[in-house]
Amino acid sequence: MRLATLVFLGGLVSASGLIAVRGNDAATFATIVRPHPRPPGSPSAADVCFSTRWPDTGKRDSLKAAREFHATRLDWLYLTGKPDSDKAFVARAKAKGYPVGGTLNCQLNDAPGSTAHTFTIGRTVNMKGDALKDPWTKKYGGRFGCPNNPDYAKLFLAHARYALDAGVDYFQMDGVQLNEIMTQYGGCFCAFCVEGFRAYIASHSTPEQRGRWGIGELATFDYAKFLLSQGTDPDSGLSAWKGPRELRELFLDFQIASGLRFLGDMYQQIDQMAGRKLTYSCNANEEFLTTYHKVHNFAFIEAYPFKEGVPAFLYGHRLKPAQEMGKPYLMTFVSHDVPHNRRFIASAYAMGSNVIVPWDVFTGLDSPRFYGTPAQFADLYGFIRASAPLLDGYEEACVLGPSIQDARYPAERPPLQVYAASPVLAVVRAKPGKADAPVVVHLVATTGDGTGPLRVTFDPRRFFGARPLRMRFVAPAPYDAAAHECAEASGDFSRLCKVVDVPGGRVSMMDLPAIDPWGILVVEPDGGNGQTPWQPGVWFDEGDRSGETLDIRLDCPTPGAEIRYTLDGSAPTEGAAHYTRPVRLEGTTLFKARAFAAGGSTGSEAVARFERVAAWPRLAPDAPPLREALRLWLRADTLASNIQDGDAVSHWPAAVGPPATVPKVRLAGGAAASAPTFCAKLLNGHPGIRFDGVADLLAVADFANAHLAGKPFTMFLLTRSDDPDFGVGGNALNGGGGIPRLYLKRGAFNYDRLADPVLVGAAPGGVALAVYQHDGRNTASARVGGRPTGRRDDMPVVKAFGSGGHLAFPVWSGLSNHAGEIGEVIAYDRLLTDAEVEAIEEDIMMRYGIGDRPRWR
């Protein structure tokens, strides 16, 4: 089993081996943490949120399921249009103590008290006045309402009145983007939008700008007719509209503003209707952070495995910005993968968010809804109820994990280190200003590889200053239906967690059981200051773990204490080696250390075993066994002898295969493709090519269809980006998509289709080596950082990729360009063996200093 050190936290080590206090190094977690009050009506940290999209239909008893998962609230409920049954269902839910969130949306039917699904009042239209051909219309027959149409506003309020009469407590807005999203499908160009845009142009442009755009008399300007006169397809999305780019961007701004105005007006009128201030949530991801937080109290995320399923992305791009905004997220996970669902639930709650019980979960327009069972998930939600005193009132004091560095602490020595067989997310939470309240450390497995037992080293001063520690470790108890029913009936959930007492006192490190996927270390103050020195902390730099040797560092918070250590497994005495500088290990070692105070008292012994394993086999990408199948090898370092740092790269010669060049094409956004930039020390000090996310593009014409379609292939991409959609496309020469698709991205691997991609999940911001394979039959798989991440056996081989089957970087995923850097692109026209892939990975990762294959474990 391979070990992966996950996180570090603490201060610098002086020549004497003692912690050198710097900055906020001595501050406790309770003084570092800051309060982030939750808006009224939003879930508390320990809430178990349950959703059924519709009241019971006879097939499933949703309220029975809510009880089995220990729900505390009912969110995102649509009503059926049958007044008596709707009122009865809401009344039953509220009788069980659940606040009920009703739902309004972008495509309400024409009559709130009716089961007839007709959609004619106030609907969006294209440039010709016809119904839009969006996916929802095609799939369900529903049509979006237009926020600029007063008839839809009246209908919206009528549905709100119906839901309030049924007894709902607050409202969820589904499809919050309204006309913003409709611009992707050719609308809306109803008379109200045309007139409203005319007024928006008048207040957001100058006569000179309007002249450049070709607008004659503004009082009669009709943008729909203008676009048609330019030859625009009436069903095309905004990025393909003809005419000035600035004008279509202004139209998008107008539609966003229209949606915000509409929702703000509607919510104000609904509050008046209800006679109270209601809570409003919406379904949005990054759009909530940029736009829709302005009129909503909190948001739902439909979280995707290849984005939010990566803890670093979830924290850095979703939860942390939302926390700083004071507008939390409640999430669903768009996946049938039970283990990944479990890890996601644990990670989200550890970071202070909530995840709706995976029951009746949307997983795609063409995928069945997911109904998880109590045997799969109730242990986690029972654990949440049991741990409510350790969740409610707590705030994040430190977050560390794969590609997560907490800026509140020195990067070279943060306050905690977790040593385990696979990566672990560590989140320290404390009560602001509560110096004596327990501090909790959430530990969550971030992969399904199995963590094995954990070793945790920390700076004990961060908890309660000089006071000794009392600790226990709590984790979900194995699921037992009878125990869960008893807990639900009694309201006592304490038996749904297992508790392990952890030796405490003046300790700086400990051993904990394996987690699957979640455990909480509870740390409390124990008595007075004590007299014995603190146990030494044992730590090392994560970057050293792939080297031939490993430098071990020790620290002790006790002033004046000396640290003595041994390397042969014997107990350290006052005559043992005196620690003054890092100790270099060259082979497997049982390391022991103890602190000795000036008065002769001794502290607890610290014990850590470090095992040096044999190096992994290495193969260069063009090694003889591979050379015949190697069709492309682009290396940024080949440019170093020809161009300077910061120069444009219009021609990237390949070490093997054809070059990549800037094609003479227009991008989906309308701009001409431009050359990316060469950076001499971009990827861990190695050369790379930077793409700006605006117009930079390189392509290898015809490559995908010539060498990847209709056959097995293996591709390696070395990249860095914050964006999971950054990568390489195998379709259009301008980076656009095609059908069948080939998108090799940092987040996901799309082969033939958009739905249900193969998970890649490269952590944002870090240099990552990803591997994409198809066996030429039905199976596609991916790896990143030296470990498998996803596999699907339902992706039949395609004979040709759409839009020409070129190879372009970056791919314009979602009709957007994406910024990032590329170091190497390697392609083979056969399925390499696992051993070959691992050997090539080892060669590349060792060259760039990346990956998760430590030499020391």
Side-chain angles (χ1 to χ4, degrees):
M1 183 176 293
R2 290 175 288 170
L3 285 166
T5 301
L6 207 279
V7 289
F8 300 105
L9 323 114
L12 297 176
V13 176
S14 70
S16 66
L18 305 182
I19 292 178
V21 178
R22 190 183 73 180
N24 72 344
D25 282 0
T28 64
F29 290 124
T31 58
I32 292 171
V33 74
R34 294 291 178 264
H36 295 92
R38 294 172 181 244
S42 62
S44 73
D47 262 328
V48 173
C49 306
F50 188 87
S51 178
T52 178
R53 291 300 187 267
W54 301 95
D56 296 331
T57 61
K59 296 180 180 179
R60 293 182 174 89
D61 187 337
S62 56
L63 295 183
K64 176 176 180 292
R67 175 186 175 86
E68 291 173 334
F69 287 106
H70 313 299
T72 60
R73 52 189 284 150
L74 187 65
D75 293 279
W76 201 340
L77 172 70
Y78 278 99
L79 300 176
T80 64
K82 300 176 182 178
D84 291 342
S85 61
D86 285 339
K87 289 180 180 180
F89 181 83
V90 173
R92 282 201 297 135
K94 296 179 75 169
K96 294 180 181 294
Y98 304 149
V100 177
T103 306
L104 298 165
N105 80 356
C106 53
Q107 44 185 332
L108 299 167
N109 67 18
D110 286 345
S114 170
T115 58
H117 288 176
T118 57
F119 304 90
T120 61
I121 298 174
R123 307 297 158 164
T124 53
V125 297
N126 69 7
M127 299 167 201
K128 289 186 173 181
D130 299 327
L132 297 178
K133 297 178 181 178
D134 58 81
W136 301 274
T137 300
K138 294 177 181 177
K139 183 74 176 179
Y140 305 114
R143 289 180 60 192
F144 271 53
C146 176
N148 290 308
N149 192 314
D151 292 337
Y152 194 72
K154 294 176 184 177
L155 181 62
F156 195 90
L157 292 174
H159 276 269
R161 167 65 73 185
Y162 178 88
L164 289 171
D165 289 345
V168 304
D169 297 295
Y170 79 93
F171 282 106
Q172 152 72 2
M173 176 61 192
D174 194 9
V176 68
Q177 290 173 270
L178 294 164
N179 276 5
E180 177 188 5
I181 201 167
M182 285 297 98
T183 61
Q184 298 182 26
Y185 307 103
C188 171
F189 288 96
C190 69
F192 299 99
C193 285
V194 170
E195 181 180 354
F197 186 47
R198 192 182 297 136
Y200 195 83
I201 293 173
S203 59
H204 289 79
S205 66
T206 65
E208 291 76 16
Q209 286 176 311
R210 296 194 287 272
R212 290 200 310 270
W213 297 339
I215 297 176
E217 180 58 48
L218 182 58
T220 58
F221 179 70
D222 184 322
Y223 190 38
K225 292 180 179 178
F226 176 86
L227 290 170
L228 291 171
S229 70
Q230 300 287 317
T232 304
D233 182 337
D235 294 318
S236 62
L238 180 141
S239 63
W241 293 356
K242 308 294 185 181
R245 176 176 56 84
E246 295 87 350
L247 193 55
R248 62 176 182 259
E249 289 177 349
L250 194 64
F251 185 78
L252 177 61
D253 292 341
F254 157 70
Q255 293 293 16
I256 293 172
S258 297
L260 287 174
R261 173 197 48 76
F262 171 81
L263 293 170
D265 289 348
M266 293 296 98
Y267 296 161
Q268 185 177 31
Q269 293 185 56
I270 293 169
D271 287 347
Q272 293 172 354
M273 189 187 299
R276 66 186 190 277
K277 179 65 177 174
L278 299 185
T279 296
Y280 297 93
S281 60
C282 67
N283 182 26
N285 288 32
E286 64 271 18
E287 301 86 8
F288 180 73
L289 299 173
T290 60
T291 306
Y292 297 101
H293 66 276
K294 297 173 183 176
V295 290
H296 295 94
N297 300 99
F298 69 97
F300 286 81
I301 289 182
E302 286 177 338
Y304 287 84
F306 54 90
K307 286 189 176 182
E308 290 84 8
V310 180
F313 186 89
L314 176 64
Y315 175 67
H317 294 264
R318 297 288 185 266
L319 300 187
K320 185 179 180 181
Q323 173 185 274
E324 293 172 349
M325 192 178 287
K327 299 287 185 78
Y329 276 124
L330 169 59
M331 297 178 282
T332 67
F333 197 52
V334 185
S335 173
H336 290 82
D337 185 333
V338 171
H340 202 175
N341 260 285
R342 289 174 59 82
R343 296 193 299 273
F344 181 78
I345 292 166
S347 297
Y349 274 90
M351 291 189 282
S353 191
N354 307 78
V355 180
I356 286 180
V357 172
W359 194 91
D360 196 4
V361 174
F362 169 83
T363 61
L365 287 173
D366 299 312
S367 300
R369 300 186 76 85
F370 178 51
Y371 290 88
T373 66
Q376 293 169 327
F377 299 109
D379 63 322
L380 297 180
Y381 287 103
F383 179 60
I384 290 165
R385 296 295 303 275
S387 303
L390 304 175
L391 297 171
D392 286 332
Y394 278 79
E395 298 284 359
E396 161 207 309
C398 184
V399 180
L400 297 137
S403 297
I404 302 175
Q405 170 59 46
D406 195 318
R408 290 170 289 190
Y409 304 93
E412 64 272 20
R413 185 69 169 92
L416 181 81
Q417 173 190 24
V418 180
Y419 192 62
S422 63
V424 174
L425 170 71
V427 183
V428 182
R429 302 186 72 80
K431 288 191 172 182
K434 303 292 185 181
D436 295 326
V439 174
V440 295
V441 182
H442 294 258
L443 301 166
V444 181
T446 62
T447 72
D449 295 342
T451 66
L454 311 179
R455 187 170 74 232
V456 180
T457 298
F458 52 77
D459 178 356
R461 300 170 308 158
R462 295 289 191 184
F463 292 94
F464 308 103
R467 289 185 286 177
L469 309 177
R470 182 173 66 251
M471 296 177 288
R472 67 185 187 275
F473 186 67
V474 295
Y479 177 72
D480 177 85
H484 279 256
E485 174 55 32
C486 182
E488 184 66 29
S490 66
D492 180 4
F493 297 91
S494 61
R495 295 186 178 181
L496 301 186
C497 63
K498 53 186 180 182
V499 182
V500 177
D501 288 328
V502 178
R506 296 171 70 78
V507 297
S508 300
M509 60 184 297
M510 71 198 64
D511 294 322
L512 298 174
I515 50 175
D516 183 22
W518 186 13
I520 302 175
L521 176 67
V522 184
V523 186
E524 300 176 86
D526 186 14
N529 290 333
Q531 300 300 317
T532 61
W534 285 95
Q535 177 190 39
V538 180
W539 62 283
F540 53 87
D541 289 334
E542 173 63 18
D544 290 348
R545 294 191 60 218
S546 297
E548 296 296 320
T549 61
L550 184 68
D551 287 346
I552 301 300
R553 301 189 178 193
L554 305 176
D555 57 30
C556 176
T558 303
E562 290 184 346
I563 301 176
R564 302 284 176 168
Y565 68 92
T566 64
L567 304 178
D568 59 3
S570 62
T573 65
E574 288 186 279
H578 180 207
Y579 177 77
T580 58
R581 61 180 57 86
V583 180
R584 177 156 295 178
L585 305 184
E586 296 183 351
T588 298
T589 302
L590 180 60
F591 194 98
K592 293 187 177 183
R594 190 187 298 269
F596 295 82
S601 61
T602 62
S604 300
E605 184 179 77
V607 181
R609 177 181 173 83
F610 297 97
E611 182 180 352
R612 183 179 183 274
V613 298
W616 285 65
R618 294 178 64 173
L619 268 180
D622 62 347
L626 308 168
R627 199 169 295 152
E628 184 177 348
L630 180 59
R631 292 291 172 262
L632 182 67
W633 187 9
L634 291 162
R635 299 179 54 171
D637 58 8
T638 61
L639 296 167
S641 60
N642 298 318
I643 63 177
Q644 300 297 312
D645 185 50
D647 285 351
V649 180
S650 58
H651 183 87
W652 187 5
V656 176
T661 59
V662 179
K664 295 181 180 180
V665 294
R666 292 279 174 182
L667 304 178
S674 60
T677 303
F678 175 72
C679 300
K681 295 183 178 181
L682 184 64
L683 306 174
N684 289 353
H686 296 267
I689 298 175
R690 173 170 288 156
F691 296 82
D692 65 1
V694 179
D696 289 356
L697 182 77
L698 290 173
V700 183
D702 307 316
F703 186 87
N705 276 350
H707 300 291
L708 307 178
K711 63 181 71 173
F713 68 80
T714 303
M715 284 196 67
F716 295 77
L717 296 180
L718 184 79
T719 64
R720 184 175 68 179
S721 178
D722 282 330
D723 190 341
D725 286 327
F726 180 75
V728 171
N731 295 119
L733 197 61
N734 69 351
I739 299 176
R741 297 175 174 86
L742 181 64
Y743 302 163
L744 312 173
K745 301 182 292 185
R746 286 173 59 91
F749 173 19
N750 296 91
Y751 185 93
D752 185 26
R753 65 186 191 223
L754 284 177
D756 303 317
V758 175
L759 175 66
V760 180
V767 181
L769 177 65
V771 185
Y772 312 82
Q773 290 188 290
H774 197 283
D775 68 354
R777 297 184 296 276
N778 297 293
T779 300
S781 61
R783 300 166 59 90
V784 73
R787 63 174 65 234
T789 55
R791 174 189 174 100
R792 295 195 67 94
D793 297 317
D794 57 353
M795 291 186 166
V797 66
V798 297
K799 294 182 179 180
F801 298 110
S803 300
H806 309 286
L807 199 66
F809 8 110
V811 58
W812 270 62
S813 178
L815 291 178
S816 298
N817 205 340
H818 301 273
E821 293 101 33
I822 296 178
E824 300 197 16
V825 181
I826 307 169
Y828 301 88
D829 64 356
R830 72 170 172 88
L831 187 74
L832 301 190
T833 67
D834 290 346
E836 289 172 329
V837 169
E838 291 173 355
I840 296 170
E841 285 176 329
E842 185 70 5
D843 181 77
I844 298 171
M845 291 191 301
M846 289 297 288
R847 285 195 280 119
Y848 286 87
I850 59 172
D852 189 29
R853 285 187 183 153
R855 189 74 177 270
W856 292 86
R857 66 180 185 182

